[in-house]
Amino acid sequence: MKVELFVPCFVDQLYPETAFNTLRLLEKSGCDVTYNSKQTCCGQPAYNAGYWDEAKEVGTKFLNDFTENTYVVAPSASCVGMIKGGYNDLFTNTIVHNKCRNLQSNIWELSDFLINVAKRDYFGAELEGKAVYHDSCSALRECKIKDEPRLLLSKVHGLEMIEMEDTDMCCGFGGTFAVKFDAISSAMAEQKVNHALAQQADYIISTDLSCLLHLQGYIEKNNLPIKTMHIADVLCNGWLESTEY
Protein backbone atom coordinates (compact mmCIF):
# COMPACT_ATOMS: atom_id res chain seq x y z
CA MET A 1 0.00 0.00 0.00
CA LYS A 2 1.57 3.27 -1.13
CA VAL A 3 1.15 6.32 1.09
CA GLU A 4 2.31 9.91 0.78
CA LEU A 5 3.11 11.51 4.12
CA PHE A 6 1.75 15.01 4.70
CA VAL A 7 3.52 16.77 7.57
CA PRO A 8 1.65 20.00 8.41
CA CYS A 9 3.83 23.08 8.88
CA PHE A 10 2.83 23.26 12.55
CA VAL A 11 4.11 19.72 13.14
CA ASP A 12 7.20 20.25 11.04
CA GLN A 13 8.28 23.34 12.96
CA LEU A 14 7.32 22.47 16.53
CA TYR A 15 6.83 18.70 16.84
CA PRO A 16 9.05 16.94 14.26
CA GLU A 17 9.26 13.76 16.36
CA THR A 18 5.51 13.30 15.90
CA ALA A 19 6.08 13.32 12.15
CA PHE A 20 8.76 10.65 12.48
CA ASN A 21 6.46 8.57 14.69
CA THR A 22 3.73 8.87 12.08
CA LEU A 23 6.18 7.50 9.54
CA ARG A 24 7.11 4.63 11.89
CA LEU A 25 3.46 3.69 12.41
CA LEU A 26 2.72 3.71 8.68
CA GLU A 27 5.77 1.59 7.94
CA LYS A 28 4.87 -0.84 10.71
CA SER A 29 1.44 -1.11 9.10
CA GLY A 30 3.11 -2.32 5.91
CA CYS A 31 2.87 0.92 3.95
CA ASP A 32 5.38 2.07 1.36
CA VAL A 33 5.75 5.71 2.43
CA THR A 34 7.09 8.60 0.39
CA TYR A 35 7.64 12.19 1.47
CA ASN A 36 7.77 15.19 -0.83
CA SER A 37 10.20 17.61 0.82
CA LYS A 38 8.78 20.51 -1.24
CA GLN A 39 5.42 20.39 0.56
CA THR A 40 4.46 23.32 2.75
CA CYS A 41 1.11 24.48 4.19
CA CYS A 42 -2.45 23.46 3.31
CA GLY A 43 -3.59 27.09 3.48
CA GLN A 44 -5.73 26.83 6.58
CA PRO A 45 -4.34 29.90 8.46
CA ALA A 46 -5.08 32.22 5.55
CA TYR A 47 -8.46 30.57 4.92
CA ASN A 48 -9.59 30.94 8.54
CA ALA A 49 -8.48 34.57 8.58
CA GLY A 50 -10.61 35.34 5.51
CA TYR A 51 -7.75 35.64 3.00
CA TRP A 52 -9.22 33.21 0.52
CA ASP A 53 -7.18 34.35 -2.48
CA GLU A 54 -3.97 33.69 -0.58
CA ALA A 55 -5.34 30.41 0.75
CA LYS A 56 -6.20 29.35 -2.80
CA GLU A 57 -2.63 30.07 -3.91
CA VAL A 58 -1.21 27.93 -1.12
CA GLY A 59 -3.86 25.26 -1.71
CA THR A 60 -2.99 25.08 -5.40
CA LYS A 61 0.59 24.29 -4.45
CA PHE A 62 -0.68 21.59 -2.09
CA LEU A 63 -2.69 19.99 -4.89
CA ASN A 64 0.44 19.97 -7.06
CA ASP A 65 2.63 18.53 -4.31
CA PHE A 66 0.54 15.40 -3.80
CA THR A 67 -0.77 12.63 -6.02
CA GLU A 68 -4.53 12.62 -6.37
CA ASN A 69 -4.94 8.83 -6.60
CA THR A 70 -2.59 7.81 -3.76
CA TYR A 71 -3.39 7.71 -0.06
CA VAL A 72 -2.20 10.85 1.74
CA VAL A 73 -1.92 10.57 5.54
CA ALA A 74 -1.32 13.34 8.09
CA PRO A 75 -1.03 13.45 11.91
CA SER A 76 -3.51 16.32 12.03
CA ALA A 77 -7.28 16.20 11.75
CA SER A 78 -7.30 19.99 11.51
CA CYS A 79 -5.35 20.08 8.25
CA VAL A 80 -7.20 17.07 6.85
CA GLY A 81 -10.47 18.79 7.71
CA MET A 82 -9.33 21.90 5.88
CA ILE A 83 -8.64 19.94 2.72
CA LYS A 84 -11.84 17.90 2.93
CA GLY A 85 -14.03 20.92 3.66
CA GLY A 86 -12.30 24.24 3.07
CA TYR A 87 -11.11 23.25 -0.38
CA ASN A 88 -14.75 23.03 -1.49
CA ASP A 89 -14.92 26.81 -1.10
CA LEU A 90 -11.64 27.37 -2.89
CA PHE A 91 -11.70 24.93 -5.81
CA THR A 92 -15.29 23.92 -6.63
CA ASN A 93 -15.96 24.44 -10.36
CA THR A 94 -12.38 25.50 -11.05
CA ILE A 95 -9.90 23.94 -13.46
CA VAL A 96 -8.62 21.67 -10.66
CA HIS A 97 -12.10 20.65 -9.46
CA ASN A 98 -11.72 16.94 -10.26
CA LYS A 99 -8.16 16.72 -8.97
CA CYS A 100 -9.26 18.35 -5.74
CA ARG A 101 -12.17 15.93 -5.30
CA ASN A 102 -9.89 12.93 -5.89
CA LEU A 103 -7.37 14.15 -3.33
CA GLN A 104 -10.14 14.92 -0.85
CA SER A 105 -11.31 11.32 -1.03
CA ASN A 106 -7.80 9.96 -0.53
CA ILE A 107 -6.52 12.10 2.36
CA TRP A 108 -6.78 10.63 5.86
CA GLU A 109 -6.00 11.58 9.43
CA LEU A 110 -3.60 9.04 10.94
CA SER A 111 -5.86 7.19 13.40
CA ASP A 112 -8.68 7.05 10.84
CA PHE A 113 -6.31 5.57 8.28
CA LEU A 114 -4.81 2.99 10.64
CA ILE A 115 -8.21 1.63 11.66
CA ASN A 116 -10.28 1.95 8.50
CA VAL A 117 -7.73 1.49 5.72
CA ALA A 118 -4.66 -0.29 7.10
CA LYS A 119 -6.87 -2.33 9.48
CA ARG A 120 -4.34 -2.12 12.31
CA ASP A 121 -5.19 -1.40 15.93
CA TYR A 122 -2.21 -2.81 17.84
CA PHE A 123 1.38 -1.58 17.74
CA GLY A 124 2.92 -2.97 20.92
CA ALA A 125 3.05 0.43 22.64
CA GLU A 126 3.47 0.81 26.38
CA LEU A 127 2.59 3.80 28.57
CA GLU A 128 1.92 3.60 32.29
CA GLY A 129 -0.77 5.85 33.72
CA LYS A 130 -4.28 7.17 33.29
CA ALA A 131 -5.32 9.23 30.28
CA VAL A 132 -8.26 11.09 28.85
CA TYR A 133 -8.87 11.63 25.15
CA HIS A 134 -9.71 15.09 23.85
CA ASP A 135 -11.99 15.13 20.80
CA SER A 136 -10.68 18.03 18.75
CA CYS A 137 -13.29 20.05 16.89
CA SER A 138 -11.71 19.20 13.54
CA ALA A 139 -11.49 15.47 14.21
CA LEU A 140 -15.00 15.10 15.55
CA ARG A 141 -16.94 17.57 13.43
CA GLU A 142 -15.02 17.84 10.17
CA CYS A 143 -13.52 14.34 9.87
CA LYS A 144 -16.17 12.41 11.86
CA ILE A 145 -13.49 10.68 13.92
CA LYS A 146 -14.46 9.45 17.39
CA ASP A 147 -14.04 5.71 17.96
CA GLU A 148 -10.81 5.22 16.00
CA PRO A 149 -8.39 6.93 18.42
CA ARG A 150 -10.06 5.29 21.41
CA LEU A 151 -9.72 1.83 19.86
CA LEU A 152 -6.01 2.38 19.22
CA LEU A 153 -5.40 3.72 22.72
CA SER A 154 -7.29 0.83 24.33
CA LYS A 155 -4.55 -1.51 23.04
CA VAL A 156 -1.67 0.40 24.70
CA HIS A 157 -0.17 -1.68 27.50
CA GLY A 158 -0.36 -0.06 30.94
CA LEU A 159 -2.62 2.79 29.83
CA GLU A 160 -5.99 3.23 31.49
CA MET A 161 -8.33 5.32 29.36
CA ILE A 162 -11.02 7.33 31.16
CA GLU A 163 -13.73 9.48 29.62
CA MET A 164 -13.78 13.03 30.94
CA GLU A 165 -16.67 15.45 31.14
CA ASP A 166 -17.33 17.49 27.99
CA THR A 167 -14.69 15.62 26.03
CA ASP A 168 -16.17 16.97 22.80
CA MET A 169 -16.04 20.63 23.85
CA CYS A 170 -13.49 22.96 22.23
CA CYS A 171 -10.19 23.44 24.07
CA GLY A 172 -10.15 27.14 23.22
CA PHE A 173 -7.37 27.22 20.64
CA GLY A 174 -9.28 27.67 17.40
CA GLY A 175 -6.34 29.15 15.50
CA THR A 176 -6.57 32.94 15.54
CA PHE A 177 -9.41 32.69 18.09
CA ALA A 178 -6.77 32.17 20.80
CA VAL A 179 -5.14 35.46 19.76
CA LYS A 180 -8.26 37.56 19.22
CA PHE A 181 -10.11 36.31 22.29
CA ASP A 182 -7.32 35.28 24.62
CA ALA A 183 -9.32 35.56 27.86
CA ILE A 184 -12.10 33.29 26.57
CA SER A 185 -9.53 30.96 25.05
CA SER A 186 -7.65 30.62 28.35
CA ALA A 187 -10.87 29.99 30.27
CA MET A 188 -11.77 27.19 27.86
CA ALA A 189 -8.33 25.62 28.27
CA GLU A 190 -8.71 25.84 32.06
CA GLN A 191 -12.05 24.06 31.89
CA LYS A 192 -10.68 21.30 29.68
CA VAL A 193 -7.64 20.68 31.88
CA ASN A 194 -9.75 20.74 35.05
CA HIS A 195 -12.03 18.06 33.59
CA ALA A 196 -8.94 15.91 32.94
CA LEU A 197 -7.56 16.51 36.43
CA ALA A 198 -10.94 15.58 37.92
CA GLN A 199 -10.38 12.11 36.51
CA GLN A 200 -6.88 12.02 38.03
CA ALA A 201 -5.46 11.67 34.54
CA ASP A 202 -1.73 11.74 33.89
CA TYR A 203 -2.14 12.52 30.19
CA ILE A 204 -4.41 14.34 27.77
CA ILE A 205 -4.18 12.67 24.35
CA SER A 206 -5.49 13.95 21.03
CA THR A 207 -5.07 13.84 17.26
CA ASP A 208 -4.26 17.54 17.02
CA LEU A 209 -1.06 19.17 18.24
CA SER A 210 -2.55 22.66 17.99
CA CYS A 211 -5.03 21.73 20.74
CA LEU A 212 -2.28 20.07 22.75
CA LEU A 213 0.06 23.05 22.44
CA HIS A 214 -2.68 25.30 23.79
CA LEU A 215 -3.47 22.98 26.69
CA GLN A 216 0.20 22.33 27.48
CA GLY A 217 0.77 26.07 27.69
CA TYR A 218 -1.94 26.39 30.32
CA ILE A 219 -0.58 23.34 32.18
CA GLU A 220 2.96 24.69 32.33
CA LYS A 221 1.88 28.20 33.28
CA ASN A 222 0.05 26.78 36.29
CA ASN A 223 2.51 23.98 37.13
CA LEU A 224 -0.16 21.29 36.95
CA PRO A 225 0.61 17.54 37.33
CA ILE A 226 -0.51 16.45 33.87
CA LYS A 227 0.92 16.48 30.35
CA THR A 228 -0.29 16.28 26.77
CA MET A 229 0.67 13.70 24.12
CA HIS A 230 -0.19 13.23 20.46
CA ILE A 231 -1.65 9.84 19.65
CA ALA A 232 1.22 9.00 17.27
CA ASP A 233 3.73 9.53 20.09
CA VAL A 234 1.67 7.33 22.41
CA LEU A 235 1.44 4.51 19.86
CA CYS A 236 5.22 4.51 19.42
CA ASN A 237 6.01 4.79 23.12
CA GLY A 238 7.92 1.89 24.63
CA TRP A 239 9.08 0.39 21.35
CA LEU A 240 12.38 -1.45 21.54
CA GLU A 241 15.14 -0.85 19.03
CA SER A 242 14.77 -4.46 17.93
CA THR A 243 11.07 -4.07 17.11
CA GLU A 244 10.43 -5.64 13.73
CA TYR A 245 8.42 -3.79 11.13
Side-chain angles (χ1 to χ4, degrees):
M1 187 184 302
K2 292 186 177 181
V3 170
E4 295 181 27
L5 177 61
F6 168 37
V7 179
C9 45
F10 189 87
V11 178
D12 177 65
Q13 294 296 311
L14 299 178
Y15 297 96
E17 187 59 29
T18 301
F20 283 111
N21 282 334
T22 299
L23 172 62
R24 294 180 182 109
L25 290 167
L26 291 173
E27 289 181 339
K28 196 169 186 180
S29 299
C31 299
D32 178 12
V33 185
T34 59
Y35 174 76
N36 180 357
S37 61
K38 295 182 180 180
Q39 64 178 267
T40 53
C41 180
C42 65
Q44 182 179 184
Y47 175 83
N48 288 344
Y51 294 97
W52 283 20
D53 289 339
E54 290 80 357
K56 187 173 182 179
E57 183 177 352
V58 177
T60 298
K61 182 182 185 307
F62 182 92
L63 293 176
N64 291 329
D65 285 340
F66 291 91
T67 306
E68 59 185 291
N69 294 315
T70 302
Y71 290 119
V72 178
V73 178
S76 169
S78 176
C79 294
V80 171
M82 166 64 189
I83 293 156
K84 285 183 172 294
Y87 277 24
N88 289 337
D89 294 322
L90 302 179
F91 299 111
T92 295
N93 295 328
T94 67
I95 193 170
V96 294
H97 176 99
N98 290 338
K99 182 175 183 178
C100 178
R101 290 292 183 270
N102 289 337
L103 204 151
Q104 284 176 316
S105 66
N106 283 314
I107 191 164
W108 295 76
E109 181 275 330
L110 176 63
S111 67
D112 195 10
F113 179 84
L114 293 176
I115 293 296
N116 295 313
V117 180
K119 308 296 183 182
R120 290 287 300 271
D121 61 7
Y122 176 72
F123 292 92
E126 297 180 5
L127 181 64
E128 292 290 335
K130 297 180 180 180
V132 293
Y133 177 76
H134 162 59
D135 289 285
S136 75
C137 296
S138 295
L140 187 64
R141 295 170 178 83
E142 295 179 359
C143 299
K144 312 303 179 186
I145 296 167
K146 185 174 180 66
D147 295 333
E148 291 84 356
R150 289 173 169 82
L151 179 56
L152 289 162
L153 293 169
S154 72
K155 301 298 180 70
V156 176
H157 295 287
L159 186 63
E160 180 184 355
M161 294 300 302
I162 307 168
E163 288 293 323
M164 65 175 165
E165 184 180 353
D166 293 333
T167 182
D168 57 352
M169 294 292 288
C170 179
C171 70
F173 178 67
T176 56
F177 177 86
V179 178
K180 295 179 179 179
F181 305 100
D182 60 317
I184 300 174
S185 176
S186 296
M188 294 171 74
E190 178 183 16
Q191 181 183 55
K192 179 68 66 170
V193 173
N194 284 342
H195 285 330
L197 290 171
Q199 298 297 331
Q200 298 182 320
D202 302 299
Y203 307 98
I204 300 174
I205 302 170
S206 186
T207 57
D208 281 88
L209 283 165
S210 52
C211 297
L212 298 179
L213 174 72
H214 182 58
L215 295 175
Q216 189 66 40
Y218 177 81
I219 289 168
E220 292 178 2
K221 180 179 180 181
N222 294 279
N223 297 311
L224 299 174
I226 193 170
K227 67 178 294 186
T228 59
M229 290 186 73
H230 188 276
I231 189 170
D233 302 325
V234 175
L235 295 178
C236 288
N237 197 70
W239 284 11
L240 300 176
E241 293 296 328
S242 59
T243 299
E244 295 182 2
Y245 280 56

